[in-house]
Amino acid sequence: MNKVKVILYGVGEVGSRIARHLLEKEGIEIVGAIDMAKDKVDKDLGEVLGSGKRLGVQISGNPDKVLSEVKPDIAVHATGSFLKQVYPQLETCIKHGVNVVSTCEELSYPYASDLQIAKKLDALAKKHKVTVLGTGINPGFLMDTLVITLTGLCQKMEKIKVMRLMNAATRRVPFQKKIGAGLTVDEFKEKIDKGQISGHVGLAQSISMIADALTWKLDKIGIDEVEPVIAAKPVSSEAIKVARGKVAGLKQIARGIKNGKEVISLDFRAYIGAEEEYDSIDIDGVPPIHEKISPCVHGDQGTVAVIVNSIPKVLNAPHGLVTMKDLPLPSATPEDMRKYVKGRMK
């Protein structure tokens, strides 16, 4: 059987981490790479990844040219968080008959992002006989797919509460800056107003996916404003020092309301100096469920794993736009990737 042919669409921080993991896998081959950054275009992928050797894959700024020449089975897409922003890129892949697995947070459940775009993607993917999936560690797994799976143990449910608490000092520096670590409160608020800090993207998508899986008709989904987490004492990561009284990170809560009552709550907190890290899911039901992963799953490593492990799931799935709740249970692919793929490879 031929190797699974993958093209990278986006070779930024996350895309590069995914690429390095793909290079370790058997039965899979990176056949092309796309990125618009001037400092990456026309360079060998190995140079950009810092692998110390040439890989014979030149990064291109021309998606149509690359997609038509290398004819990949699937595109690993990692360029942005927002559906409207990435739609043209997804459309290009689909029209070339290429399946897509994407890190785009709003694509994880696009029906909650933009119903019109979601319908267009589904129709286009079916027309060109490909499958499109948005996923990741969160949204994509910890605060939605894992929650849905645990509800399978319940006879009845009243309320679901999910919390992700992480020490941002363990995450990459761009993430620490993204959550405002080291800023004054006024600087944090200014960046919020300017849209330079957006909080956690994907909470509404996760709530919608859970509710739809349970056929709960929600009155509304409420997303609280992003709040700074203020350091009570000096804390630091390798790159950022946070003085007492300055912003160490952020917190944000989203709520799903049904019949006037809060039935789903997602609580996301990320800041430098968190004394405990965990992912928890509490289900008020019969029986009650109290699941806790401590320390929390590493976000970058988990995202890479979910994206790569979803490749065979996408290649085996029906054509169209799919979400994690539509696919078989996720699983690791520790052996030759080809063993997990039934068909649809070029």
Side-chain angles (χ1 to χ4, degrees):
M1 183 190 292
N2 295 329
K3 291 183 178 182
V4 179
K5 295 189 293 183
V6 175
I7 190 166
L8 304 170
Y9 201 132
V11 196
E13 181 68 29
V14 175
S16 294
R17 288 172 180 259
I18 294 170
R20 293 186 191 102
H21 183 49
L22 287 171
L23 291 170
E24 298 172 353
K25 302 287 288 186
E26 292 185 29
I28 199 161
E29 179 183 10
I30 298 175
V31 296
I34 299 165
D35 200 288
M36 299 303 158
K38 292 181 179 179
D39 61 339
K40 295 174 184 175
V41 171
D42 294 334
K43 287 186 177 180
D44 185 85
L45 179 62
E47 179 183 354
V48 172
L49 297 181
S51 64
K53 62 179 180 180
R54 294 182 62 82
L55 298 174
V57 175
Q58 188 178 63
I59 298 175
S60 173
N62 188 333
D64 285 304
K65 183 175 184 294
V66 178
L67 290 165
S68 61
E69 287 180 351
V70 303
K71 301 188 184 305
D73 298 300
I74 190 165
V76 172
H77 176 269
T79 67
S81 301
F82 302 103
L83 192 57
K84 287 183 179 178
Q85 171 192 350
V86 305
Y87 176 79
Q89 301 167 356
L90 301 174
E91 182 182 44
T92 298
C93 293
I94 294 168
K95 286 184 175 179
H96 281 275
V98 178
N99 301 284
V100 180
V101 58
S102 173
T103 63
C104 175
E105 287 95 328
E106 287 193 342
L107 186 63
S108 65
Y109 210 70
Y111 309 101
S113 312
D114 190 312
L115 184 58
Q116 184 177 359
I117 290 181
K119 289 180 176 179
K120 284 175 63 177
L121 280 173
D122 185 51
L124 194 65
K126 287 175 178 174
K127 176 182 176 181
H128 292 276
K129 299 182 179 180
V130 298
T131 304
V132 178
L133 171 71
T135 189
I137 194 69
N138 180 43
F141 189 78
L142 288 172
M143 298 183 92
D144 39 48
T145 303
L146 182 57
V147 178
I148 293 168
T149 303
L150 289 175
T151 65
L153 301 174
C154 297
Q155 298 176 22
K156 60 177 76 172
M157 293 168 298
E158 297 294 330
K159 187 175 181 179
I160 297 169
K161 181 178 180 180
V162 186
M163 184 165 185
R164 178 159 169 78
L165 172 60
M166 50 183 178
N167 181 5
T170 66
R171 295 289 300 275
R172 63 189 188 276
V173 175
F175 177 81
Q176 295 173 29
K177 292 180 178 179
K178 182 180 178 181
I179 62 172
L183 300 176
T184 65
V185 174
D186 287 342
E187 288 170 339
F188 182 90
K189 291 180 178 179
E190 183 180 352
K191 285 184 177 289
I192 287 287
D193 292 340
K194 291 181 177 179
Q196 295 171 343
I197 295 177
S198 59
H200 180 62
V201 181
L203 293 175
Q205 286 70 27
S206 292
I207 288 180
S208 294
M209 188 191 300
I210 295 167
D212 286 357
L214 300 176
T215 67
W216 280 359
K217 185 173 177 57
L218 300 180
D219 303 335
K220 64 177 181 178
I221 295 174
I223 311 292
D224 289 1
E225 291 185 3
V226 181
E227 296 183 26
V229 175
I230 311 301
K233 61 182 181 181
V235 293
S236 63
S237 65
E238 290 185 4
I240 297 177
K241 293 182 179 180
V242 182
R244 180 177 179 273
K246 286 196 171 184
V247 176
L250 55 76
K251 59 183 177 181
Q252 191 172 24
I253 300 175
R255 313 168 198 276
I257 309 299
K258 177 175 177 280
N259 297 329
K261 296 181 179 179
E262 182 181 301
V263 293
I264 303 173
S265 70
L266 305 184
D267 189 336
F268 178 85
R269 304 182 183 217
Y271 56 94
I272 293 175
E275 295 182 357
E276 184 182 10
E277 292 188 290
Y278 61 84
D279 295 297
S280 66
I281 299 171
D282 293 287
I283 302 175
D284 181 4
V286 180
I289 303 292
H290 303 287
E291 176 271 348
K292 187 174 184 180
I293 302 173
S294 182
C296 67
V297 178
H298 192 283
D300 294 335
Q301 295 171 357
T303 292
V304 169
V306 172
I307 289 293
V308 173
N309 292 331
S310 294
I311 289 174
K313 306 293 184 182
V314 171
L315 292 177
N316 292 334
H319 300 137
L321 174 63
V322 298
T323 69
M324 290 293 282
K325 79 175 183 61
D326 304 317
L327 298 178
L329 285 174
S331 61
T333 54
E335 299 179 17
D336 191 323
M337 181 70 77
R338 290 170 291 192
K339 295 181 179 180
Y340 298 86
V341 180
K342 300 172 184 175
R344 290 186 42 199
M345 286 167 54
K346 294 179 176 62

